[in-house]
Amino acid sequence: MYPDHTPQRAVEVHHPTPIPPPVVHPAPVVPVQPGTVPTVASIVLPDGRVVTGYTIDPARPEPVTAKPAVSRTAVNVALGGVGFLAVCGGLLLLTSFIAALTAFITQLITLAAVIFGGWIAVQVLSGSGHREGGTTVNIRKAVIKRNKFFG
């Protein structure tokens, strides 16, 4: 490049962007029950201007309710204790019922075993009685000599 030559830069021109005026939305109309229309008050300022508007009722604090003699926490704890005792009593009755049912079933099984065992014993040990459909075999001394059977 040449020593006395300086590069020229392009000039940037900025044009301001106009800001549109704000869009004004009309205030919403609050429906008022007939008979409850608030009163309009006017105030004259020291410079002579008059300001007119609706009166605003000051915020009233809620009335303080009297505290109960017993706190709610104490009542909840007491009710929880009563419920726990009721559940424990119910569980005790349930376990007693299960134990009684188990004993009853055990007695029934024992009774059935005694009756069935007695019936089996009577059938096996009874020698008298006519048996039908069976084959009676009398075993005698048999002698086998030289592959010959003598009966």
Side-chain angles (χ1 to χ4, degrees), residues 8-145:
Q8 293 186 359
R9 296 185 179 187
V11 178
E12 294 180 18
V13 178
H14 294 282
H15 297 287
T17 306
I19 299 174
V23 178
V24 179
H25 297 289
V29 177
V30 179
V32 178
Q33 299 292 336
T36 60
V37 177
T39 58
V40 178
S42 297
I43 299 173
V44 179
L45 297 177
D47 61 355
R49 291 183 297 166
V50 177
V51 178
T52 305
Y54 294 107
T55 58
I56 299 174
D57 292 334
R60 295 182 185 129
E62 293 183 21
V64 178
T65 56
K67 288 190 174 183
V70 180
S71 70
R72 290 180 185 251
T73 305
V75 170
N76 289 339
V77 168
L79 289 176
V82 169
F84 182 73
L85 287 177
V87 168
C88 287
L91 288 177
L92 182 63
L93 288 175
L94 182 64
T95 54
S96 300
F97 175 74
I98 290 173
L101 186 64
T102 304
F104 178 69
I105 291 173
T106 304
Q107 288 178 357
L108 284 179
I109 291 172
T110 305
L111 180 64
V114 167
I115 290 174
F116 186 69
W119 182 76
I120 295 280
V122 166
Q123 295 299 321
V124 169
L125 296 177
S126 68
S128 64
H130 182 67
R131 295 188 183 169
E132 295 179 11
T135 304
T136 304
V137 178
N138 294 322
I139 299 175
R140 294 185 253 157
K141 262 187 170 176
V143 179
I144 300 175
K145 290 184 178 178

